[in-house]
Amino acid sequence: MRNIAMTVSYDGTHYSGFQIQPGVDTVQQMLMNAVQKVTGESCHIIASGRTDAGVHAIGQVINFYTESNIPAERWPIAMNTVLPRDIAVIAAVEAPFNFNARKHAVRKTYHYYIERDRKRSVFTEGLAHHHPGHLNVNEMQEAAQMLLGEHDFSSFCSLKSTKSSHVRTLYSVDCVLEPHPLHGPGLLPQLVVKVSGNGFLYNMVRIIVGTLLMVGRGRKKAEEVQAILQAKNRHLAGPTAPPEGLFLWQVEYDNLQFPT
Amino acid sequence: MRNIAMTVSYDGTHYSGFQIQPGVDTVQQMLMNAVQKVTGESCHIIASGRTDAGVHAIGQVINFYTESNIPAERWPIAMNTVLPRDIAVIAAVEAPFNFNARKHAVRKTYHYYIERDRKRSVFTEGLAHHHPGHLNVNEMQEAAQMLLGEHDFSSFCSLKSTKSSHVRTLYSVDCVLEPHPLHGPGLLPQLVVKVSGNGFLYNMVRIIVGTLLMVGRGRKKAEEVQAILQAKNRHLAGPTAPPEGLFLWQVEYDNLQFPT
């Protein structure tokens, strides 16, 4: 029995999230179907974490056990041949037998893409959040710095969370302007909120972004974010930003490296 | 009567090219419909040039005459409100009365995006050409340099061309590797062929790319490209590369600047 780990990218637009649910299309189900087509085995797929409906992934990490002797480097082609066009395996490695994509993740990074003003790209439908008005990016960046470090993030967590502890550590939160190569001359760079931490609660990145957007619009002051954090009260933070701007970008492990 | 010039971006996937044809959806028709919705006037749209079915644009330039007194800076929002989601006006200016987007273009730039090997992005369906095998990019770049300068490009022009002269000047042809921000960690950069010149013949960029791809695959030597050019014979060049990788990137004018 071998433990195969993979990085997986998907466009979440047409899926009801990562996790299997009866009667709807999910990324996990598509991956299980693909492994079954490749190996003839039914398998259980472990992921670094779930993503919500409409959320995308650049570097989701999964692992599963198989009796198949397909070499690790052949797995991406084998899987991509049978996967739908909006899910792709980027890389695969044979992992230590006890490796678990969820339990062993030490750092996760998300990117949230925002198109501002009336500048819209025709190529980012479902892949960015369109914010019609002006945003004060400097103020957003100042507010973002209040979230760094170890905190109880109850204010930035869905009320539906079932976790016993809401303490997590954020390593970086940055609001940066980055040109998109398909934007070309004449279009403003996109605003990207990049968040890295040791773990994330249900809707945590989207609530952080929703709160930073209120700061960017001048509806909250940067300093207020510290009080919101300390209050541990979901009702004080901003709304949950829509899913389409969010990408699970990278998941890192101490005991596993993927080939580049 | 005012002469309004605009830069326009579109995803060409669902259009039968730029130019109006009866019974099919074209970008020109959509733009004319939008102007009519905004002004109540029917107008004739002049573009820097046509693009084929499935070809995209980042910076197509158009102009048209109107009696409307909408200020130039309001035109993008007015048009984008009524245009379909896959066509967007990026910028608009009031042009000199005699400005003609086709006749006055002094430099046009195209980008052609190629995803190599089995590394596919889930976010570039219809927006890149997928080349399954290895490509020797250094050899492609060497071949590309043979095309620089003023030449008769009959070998790199569709047999359907009706132009009396096939002499054009290429200012630059470069094969570069550029990461796509939505590719993320673990995915190879895309190969982009960037071509700038004073004008382009029917299918010229796609035949140049199709020929460079044969060089990249080792099916032709870089030196052979010079002989192909000199022969002025379409049958000696490579096939016309598929439309989905091609973007009309930028059109430049001596007498017109768009706001950034």
Side-chain angles (χ1 to χ4, degrees):
Chain A
M1 195 73 120
R2 300 157 72 213
N3 188 5
I4 302 291
M6 294 176 172
T7 51
V8 179
S9 177
Y10 46 86
D11 179 336
T13 306
H14 301 297
Y15 294 98
S16 301
F18 186 87
Q19 193 180 37
I20 286 187
Q21 302 168 61
V24 293
D25 285 342
T26 62
V27 178
Q28 192 176 24
Q29 182 73 62
M30 296 296 160
L31 289 167
M32 281 174 51
N33 294 353
V35 173
Q36 183 144 34
K37 281 179 194 160
V38 168
T39 65
E41 301 166 0
S42 57
C43 76
H44 177 63
I45 302 252
I46 300 156
S48 72
R50 309 168 188 180
T51 51
D52 290 338
V55 173
H56 318 292
I58 294 291
Q60 171 70 287
V61 176
I62 63 167
N63 74 291
F64 59 91
Y65 291 92
T66 177
E67 300 281 1
S68 158
N69 52 16
I70 299 170
E73 68 273 15
R74 295 290 302 168
W75 270 98
I77 293 174
M79 291 285 283
N80 291 341
T81 306
V82 296
L83 278 167
R85 182 65 182 78
D86 49 10
I87 304 177
V89 173
I90 305 305
V93 289
E94 185 152 356
F97 192 76
N98 293 322
F99 172 79
N100 181 299
R102 184 174 62 79
K103 290 185 189 161
H104 298 155
V106 294
R107 184 187 176 109
K108 291 170 91 169
T109 301
Y110 288 87
H111 286 190
Y112 193 98
Y113 284 83
I114 299 159
E115 292 187 343
R116 298 162 302 154
D117 306 314
R118 300 281 171 177
K119 304 275 186 171
R120 65 181 172 91
S121 166
V122 299
F123 303 108
T124 51
E125 170 93 74
L127 302 176
H129 170 53
H130 299 273
H131 186 276
H134 178 75
L135 290 170
N136 183 332
V137 177
N138 290 338
E139 193 81 0
M140 290 174 71
Q141 176 66 10
E142 192 184 327
Q145 303 320 299
M146 316 249 165
L147 300 170
L148 294 181
E150 187 182 81
H151 302 285
D152 182 317
F153 282 97
S154 294
S155 294
F156 296 91
C157 173
S158 166
L159 295 170
K160 293 182 201 149
S161 168
T162 55
K163 298 279 176 180
S164 55
S165 166
H166 289 164
V167 175
R168 298 290 184 276
T169 300
L170 290 189
Y171 303 126
S172 62
V173 186
D174 289 301
C175 302
V176 298
L177 298 177
E178 274 188 5
H180 187 302
L182 290 185
H183 275 188
L187 257 183
L188 289 178
Q190 282 180 301
L191 172 58
V192 193
V193 183
K194 301 182 177 184
V195 187
S196 281
N198 68 347
F200 290 87
L201 301 163
Y202 189 19
N203 282 349
M204 179 167 156
V205 180
R206 290 167 58 188
I207 299 169
I208 288 174
V209 171
T211 306
L212 294 178
L213 284 172
M214 292 194 80
V215 172
R217 286 157 59 201
R219 298 278 301 278
K220 286 191 194 297
K221 293 223 171 288
E223 310 83 90
E224 284 177 69
V225 170
Q226 194 147 29
I228 294 168
L229 187 61
Q230 284 162 358
K232 297 172 199 164
N233 180 345
R234 170 69 188 93
H235 300 294
L236 298 184
T240 305
E244 64 267 19
L246 186 60
F247 290 74
L248 172 54
W249 197 257
Q250 190 171 23
V251 187
E252 293 167 80
Y253 298 88
D254 282 338
N255 56 347
L256 197 75
Q257 283 276 320
F258 286 94
T260 52
Chain B
M1 195 71 118
R2 301 157 73 213
N3 188 5
I4 301 291
M6 294 177 173
T7 50
V8 179
S9 177
Y10 45 87
D11 179 336
T13 305
H14 301 297
Y15 294 99
S16 301
F18 186 87
Q19 194 181 37
I20 286 186
Q21 304 168 57
V24 292
D25 284 343
T26 61
V27 178
Q28 192 177 23
Q29 183 72 61
M30 295 296 158
L31 289 166
M32 280 174 53
N33 294 353
V35 173
Q36 184 142 35
K37 282 178 195 161
V38 169
T39 64
E41 303 167 359
S42 57
C43 75
H44 176 62
I45 302 249
I46 300 156
S48 73
R50 308 168 190 182
T51 51
D52 290 338
V55 172
H56 318 291
I58 294 290
Q60 170 71 285
V61 175
I62 64 167
N63 74 290
F64 59 91
Y65 292 92
T66 176
E67 301 281 2
S68 158
N69 53 16
I70 298 171
E73 66 275 15
R74 297 289 304 168
W75 271 97
I77 292 175
M79 290 286 281
N80 292 340
T81 305
V82 296
L83 278 168
R85 182 64 183 80
D86 49 9
I87 304 177
V89 172
I90 306 303
V93 289
E94 184 152 358
F97 192 77
N98 293 321
F99 172 79
N100 181 298
R102 185 174 62 80
K103 290 185 187 159
H104 298 155
V106 292
R107 183 185 177 109
K108 291 171 92 170
T109 301
Y110 289 88
H111 287 190
Y112 193 98
Y113 285 83
I114 300 159
E115 293 187 341
R116 300 162 301 154
D117 305 315
R118 299 280 171 177
K119 304 275 186 173
R120 64 182 173 91
S121 167
V122 299
F123 303 109
T124 51
E125 171 92 75
L127 302 175
H129 169 52
H130 298 272
H131 187 276
H134 178 75
L135 290 169
N136 183 332
V137 178
N138 289 338
E139 193 82 3
M140 290 173 71
Q141 176 65 10
E142 192 184 326
Q145 303 321 298
M146 315 246 163
L147 300 171
L148 293 180
E150 187 182 83
H151 302 284
D152 182 317
F153 282 97
S154 294
S155 294
F156 296 90
C157 173
S158 166
L159 295 170
K160 293 181 201 152
S161 167
T162 56
K163 297 280 176 179
S164 55
S165 166
H166 289 165
V167 174
R168 297 291 183 276
T169 300
L170 290 189
Y171 303 125
S172 62
V173 186
D174 288 301
C175 302
V176 297
L177 298 178
E178 274 188 5
H180 187 303
L182 290 185
H183 275 188
L187 258 182
L188 289 177
Q190 283 182 300
L191 172 58
V192 193
V193 182
K194 301 182 176 183
V195 187
S196 280
N198 68 347
F200 290 88
L201 302 162
Y202 189 19
N203 283 349
M204 180 167 156
V205 181
R206 290 167 58 188
I207 299 169
I208 288 174
V209 171
T211 306
L212 294 179
L213 285 173
M214 293 194 78
V215 172
R217 287 155 58 201
R219 299 278 302 277
K220 285 192 194 297
K221 293 222 171 289
E223 309 85 88
E224 285 178 66
V225 170
Q226 193 147 31
I228 294 169
L229 187 62
Q230 286 164 355
K232 298 172 200 164
N233 180 345
R234 170 69 188 93
H235 300 294
L236 297 184
T240 306
E244 65 266 22
L246 186 60
F247 290 74
L248 173 53
W249 197 258
Q250 191 171 21
V251 188
E252 292 167 81
Y253 299 88
D254 282 339
N255 55 346
L256 197 75
Q257 282 276 319
F258 286 94
T260 53

